């Protein structure tokens, strides 16, 4: 399998990536949306 953070190939069942030390949590339910670090952009109010 591959690290979700850096893409390094890691052993199946690994808890941490040996390259970036990111946590590799297993998720059984793949129907949940993936978390992103992006925040929704707010629309700017028009000044009159």
């Amino acid at each position: 399998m591959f690290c979700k953070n850096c893409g390094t190939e890691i052993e199946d069942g690994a808890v941490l990536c040996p390259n970036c030390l990111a946590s590799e949590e297993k998720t059984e339910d793949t129907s949940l949306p993936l978390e992103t670090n992006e925040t929704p952009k707010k629309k700017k109010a028009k000044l009159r």
Side-chain angles (χ1 to χ4, degrees):
M1 73 181 190
F2 294 90
C3 175
K4 296 175 186 172
N5 187 54
C6 70
T8 300
E9 188 172 3
I10 58 178
E11 294 182 22
D12 289 342
V15 178
L16 292 175
C17 172
N19 185 51
C20 70
L21 301 179
S23 174
E24 293 296 320
E25 296 180 16
K26 295 202 178 228
T27 55
E28 297 294 325
D29 188 358
T30 57
S31 65
L32 297 175
L34 297 176
E35 293 182 26
T36 63
N37 292 333
E38 297 178 15
T39 55
K41 294 181 181 179
K42 295 181 180 178
K43 294 182 180 179
K44 293 183 180 180
K46 292 182 181 180
L47 298 175
R48 293 182 181 203

